[in-house]
Amino acid sequence: MLELTKLNHHQLEAVTAPEGPILVVAGAGTGKTRVLTTRIAYLIDHMGYDNNKILAITFTNKAANEMRTRVFNMVNNVYVPWIGTYHATCLKILKEDIQYIGRKNNFSVIDDEDQLSILRDIYKRGGLTQKDMKPKKALEVIEKVKMNDIQLNAINSLDKAKELGIYKFDELKNVKYVNQMYNQRLLSANLLDFNDLLLLAYKLLSEHGEVRKKWQTMFDYILVDEFQDTNELQFNILNLLINQEKKNVFVVGDPDQTIYTWRGAYPNIFKDYLVEYKQTKTYVLDLNYRSSQNILKVANSLISHNSDRIDKVLVTDNGEGNNVVFYKGDSDYHESNFITKQIVSLTKNKSYDYKDIVILYRAKYLSRSVEQELINNNIPYYVFGAVRFYQRREIKDLVAYLKLLTNPTDELSLKRVLNVPTRGIGNTTMDNITKYANDNHISFAEAFYLTNRSDFDPPWQKPAIIQFIKLIDSLISLTKDKTIAESVQLIIKAINYEDHIKSLELAEERLENIDEFIKSITEFETKHNTHSVEEFLHEISLYTDSDDNTIKNKDAVSLMTIHYAKGTEAKVVFIIGMNEGIFPSIKMNRENDIEEERRIAYVGITRSMEKLYLTCNVGFSPISTSTLTVSRFIKDVGHKNLREEISEMIPISDADLSWYSSKEIKTFEDNYNETVIEFKVGDTIAHTIFGSGVVISINGDMLDVAFKAPFGVKSLIKNHKAIKRLKN
């Protein structure tokens, strides 16, 4: 007999609900998976439903397998065959009935790699190269066009094309050709991609009443997990599968966790569901088993600022717990340093292990400063859903170019960027150079540079390689008296690297990473008072030599975006970058974007079980020319719900600023101290006019200092009497 005594009152109500349409609004950490699986078991064990006529839809194969196993263990080893994703469900339907829309049911389904293989073949036959558009980029456009029913051939202006990530007419022309050939290839070879599974299933069910009736009769009861992640096409398919007489449908989700609108999910799906199924009974799960009450206070207060939502206030029996900490530093160094100090303190007495700690952020580039501080403090960590900052493709490309400035015969760097951006030096040329080097017992680099000799006739094409050698020589000359940051900017311009990045997938994210890379170089140069490329490369080798696989699945701090973290939990959570323009993102361009950003923050907060830290800094912005300000979400949370901490410096009162007055100075020399104080980047200073600020760069006798609004960044002479260095 099915055991129901472990369910709380609201869970039990949902599980034992009568037939007809049901909506379960399940807050974070309220046991939604338990409710859904127990409902399936209850349908079979108590209500007499045939296990073969129950359809349960979830969003990952992993979740489907877990659900199937739980039900199997609950009701005497009963197997429910129709538990799976939307794609898996549509595949089964198409295998039976695709012939109704003129296709053969012996079709094959292709994955991402198959798609790219087809595109590469289309490129080859059409005389296209990666320079015309990367196949991955073309695939992104093809999928966006297909899923949004966009008539690509009707787009003739770049204004419309930009919405697809296309910035040049040549790219638009090429992607039209590739898109046409791709769809023809799939049709002629009887292949379906993952998008086709949904699109053709919808076409089949919507256009053929007898098929639709067959499947509606097939399923006596339908359940849907993570309903907030459902997109419009999936919702339409769901409606076509539901028996409109019985309307036995049970959906579970949390509208406050709708954070995938960029993938097609939409917050109004709950309203649409209630309009479509007016007899729906709604159950709210609000007893949270994960977090302390203080953490839930913060979450509830934040999300309450979203309008027109299904009202829900999370509560818990876990007790008040620790205060949620809000830290505001004066620079990203202070912010990262605070985080690492807290981690050292938390783990020192084995109160927590590293694996109990998660650091979350809104955008991947924010991990850079934290990663450096974790390494400096010998704290093991693993970046989930991304590679480490200095291991990212665009960063490694630029580092390789820097290495060639100091050592043009660096073979690894040479091979990495020979054809980046594409310049006609392909694999055949590389193979020929390698063969010549091996045959003549010389290095690849030696063979490569022989190309530049007038008396050498190589067994490979010369022009492109000679142009590359000239490029490196030119860059060495141009960067001779430049800072490292200026050198990188020159490299980017000389090789048109920004255009190259725009042709890749995740272009905006990569450009953000490059901006952050240049910022990290500037910090290095000012911190060490050097413009030596060799010293910089030696420094970052500390950050690139670590092997991620030695840390993964071991006792290590986890770093990830909040989107990646959905569905996870941790005893200790840090959410960094709580700054306006970072979180919420500066990229907001729709009226409802701020509500989605707030939901993303809500998801991050509700990952925490015992300790939660919200951090930001009011130093220099990595993505603009101004100083940062605190995120509006901190105000939404309410300062009464936070224990606030500030940078560890001597606070400045009005009286503290009165040690110097220019009116009392009689000669120019009297403005300056005889001894020059040696400052370093990250030092906190006080100025009699501008107040407190943080040193962000040093140029000889000059300091660039970021002050709080309205002053911004000021350039000051080191030994001026109006400046005092504060204790950090």
Side-chain angles (χ1 to χ4, degrees), residues 143-180:
E143 292 190 332
K144 193 177 288 187
V145 164
K146 182 179 284 191
M147 289 305 290
N148 292 282
D149 196 24
I150 296 170
Q151 301 304 309
L152 186 58
N153 286 333
I155 297 177
N156 295 309
S157 73
L158 285 182
D159 284 341
K160 294 270 181 138
K162 282 177 183 175
E163 295 175 11
L164 298 172
I166 298 170
Y167 301 93
K168 299 176 183 176
F169 279 111
D170 283 347
E171 285 184 342
L172 180 58
K173 176 186 171 186
N174 291 331
V175 83
K176 283 181 179 180
Y177 166 77
V178 173
N179 180 58
Q180 182 182 353

Side-chain angles (χ1 to χ4, degrees), residues 202-422:
Y202 174 71
K203 179 180 175 67
L204 172 66
L205 294 168
S206 62
E207 294 180 0
H208 296 273
E210 67 275 29
V211 177
R212 181 169 63 253
K213 187 174 182 181
K214 166 189 169 180
W215 289 102
Q216 287 179 352
T217 305
M218 171 71 188
F219 301 122
D220 287 339
Y221 208 99
I222 298 177
L223 305 94
V224 184
D225 190 16
E226 302 285 9
F227 190 59
Q228 75 279 350
D229 294 338
T230 304
N231 65 35
E232 191 171 357
L233 176 59
Q234 291 164 340
F235 185 47
N236 289 337
I237 292 169
L238 176 67
N239 287 332
L240 292 169
L241 290 173
I242 292 170
N243 185 311
Q244 295 301 309
E245 291 180 9
K246 297 178 179 177
K247 295 183 180 178
N248 283 333
V249 56
F250 185 97
V251 301
V252 182
D254 184 2
D256 291 333
Q257 295 188 69
T258 305
I259 64 172
Y260 291 110
T261 59
W262 50 276
R263 277 194 331 209
Y266 61 110
N268 287 334
I269 192 165
F270 289 86
K271 285 185 182 177
D272 290 354
Y273 176 83
L274 291 171
V275 168
E276 189 76 26
Y277 302 99
K278 293 183 172 59
Q279 305 305 313
T280 293
K281 292 182 173 61
T282 301
Y283 300 88
V284 177
L285 306 183
D286 56 8
L287 181 60
N288 177 285
Y289 291 94
R290 178 186 298 152
S291 307
S292 67
Q293 189 59 53
N294 281 332
I295 292 169
L296 295 183
K297 273 184 191 176
V298 167
N300 289 331
S301 179
L302 173 72
I303 203 64
S304 69
H305 288 78
N306 274 7
S307 60
D308 201 20
R309 51 184 284 271
I310 298 175
D311 192 38
K312 174 177 85 281
V313 177
L314 295 179
V315 296
T316 186
D317 294 332
N318 291 340
E320 238 181 63
N322 300 286
N323 290 320
V324 175
V325 173
F326 169 56
Y327 173 82
K328 180 174 68 175
D330 287 296
S331 67
D332 61 352
Y333 165 76
H334 284 141
E335 184 180 4
S336 300
N337 187 253
F338 169 79
I339 292 165
T340 52
K341 281 184 177 178
Q342 296 304 309
I343 292 172
V344 169
S345 176
L346 290 167
T347 56
K348 185 165 55 176
N349 298 319
K350 290 295 179 183
S351 300
Y352 294 93
D353 295 324
Y354 291 126
K355 64 186 177 184
D356 297 327
I357 301 169
V358 172
I359 300 173
L360 303 178
Y361 34 81
R362 178 65 182 86
K364 291 177 183 176
Y365 74 88
L366 294 167
S367 74
R368 196 270 309 170
S369 179
V370 177
E371 284 188 60
Q372 290 187 190
E373 279 304 296
L374 291 171
I375 291 168
N376 291 341
N377 287 274
N378 296 313
I379 296 172
Y381 72 96
Y382 184 77
V383 182
F384 286 84
V387 293
R388 295 182 179 220
F389 184 82
Y390 288 101
Q391 294 285 358
R392 291 167 188 168
R393 173 179 177 173
E394 56 278 9
I395 306 304
K396 293 194 79 170
D397 285 347
L398 293 174
V399 167
Y401 272 105
L402 278 177
K403 287 180 177 179
L404 290 177
L405 297 186
T406 61
N407 179 15
T409 62
D410 181 330
E411 189 167 312
L412 285 176
S413 297
L414 198 58
K415 287 181 176 179
R416 180 176 184 89
V417 297
L418 260 180
N419 209 36
V420 178
T422 307

